[in-house]
Amino acid sequence: MRHVIGSCLTKTDNFNKGDLERKVEKINICAYPNQSGPKYPTVNHWVLFLQCSPTSSVKVDMYHMGIGTLEISSKKYSHTDQAVHMFSLEPTREFTVDDFVNLVGTERLYRYDFTDEEYREGCRFWNYTVIE
């Protein structure tokens, strides 16, 4: 946990550290609709929800702020109801939120450069890389 939480590239203001010990039951991968206006008409924003119960999750969101910024936040729902696309994965082995965050830290996946400034693409690939 220290790798990611201590990084200046990570935002954890809305993260309950008690969630670290929670078992991940499902990984919900959601695409938010484009909010950037007509300049980016085909780009959705993809995020992960580490579902810990039917009514709670930890949202893992890599977003573009000049350089990639990772936001980890506790939620009182399993996934967003604002998604235009969503699919779920069952874990192939048991792991906790802390295991996931440590993987991100160990593999330095909290440091991410998106494609050029004009298109801001990369969150979908980042999610693919983390899940792989």
Side-chain angles (χ1 to χ4, degrees):
M1 185 64 179
R2 65 187 170 275
H3 294 288
V4 175
I5 298 301
S7 168
C8 63
L9 305 174
T10 305
K11 183 177 177 200
T12 58
D13 300 344
N14 297 312
F15 179 65
N16 175 358
K17 289 187 180 180
D19 285 342
L20 287 171
E21 302 308 317
R22 300 193 66 196
K23 179 184 163 200
V24 175
E25 296 178 356
K26 193 182 290 186
I27 302 170
N28 298 310
I29 305 153
C30 301
Y32 285 97
N34 174 18
Q35 300 294 320
S36 301
K39 184 176 180 183
Y40 312 106
T42 62
V43 179
N44 291 320
H45 180 64
W46 293 83
V47 300
L48 299 176
F49 287 85
L50 305 177
Q51 182 177 328
C52 300
S53 78
T55 58
S56 68
S57 64
V58 172
K59 181 180 176 183
V60 181
D61 184 3
M62 175 59 76
Y63 61 93
H64 190 277
M65 289 293 294
I67 188 166
T69 299
L70 181 62
E71 182 173 4
I72 302 171
S73 53
S74 299
K75 299 297 179 186
K76 294 184 178 181
Y77 45 84
S78 61
H79 61 279
T80 181
D81 63 357
Q82 304 296 310
V84 293
H85 303 289
M86 184 189 110
F87 60 97
S88 300
L89 300 173
E90 300 287 333
T92 57
R93 63 179 178 82
E94 188 173 300
F95 67 96
T96 64
V97 172
D98 191 45
D99 294 331
F100 181 88
V101 171
N102 280 325
L103 172 72
V104 170
T106 301
E107 298 298 321
R108 298 180 56 87
L109 294 170
Y110 58 91
R111 300 179 58 86
Y112 186 74
D113 289 327
F114 282 74
T115 58
D116 62 32
E117 187 72 28
E118 183 178 351
Y119 294 106
R120 300 181 186 182
E121 294 175 328
C123 56
R124 183 178 59 211
F125 183 75
W126 184 87
N127 283 284
Y128 171 79
T129 302
V130 168
I131 291 170
E132 186 179 51

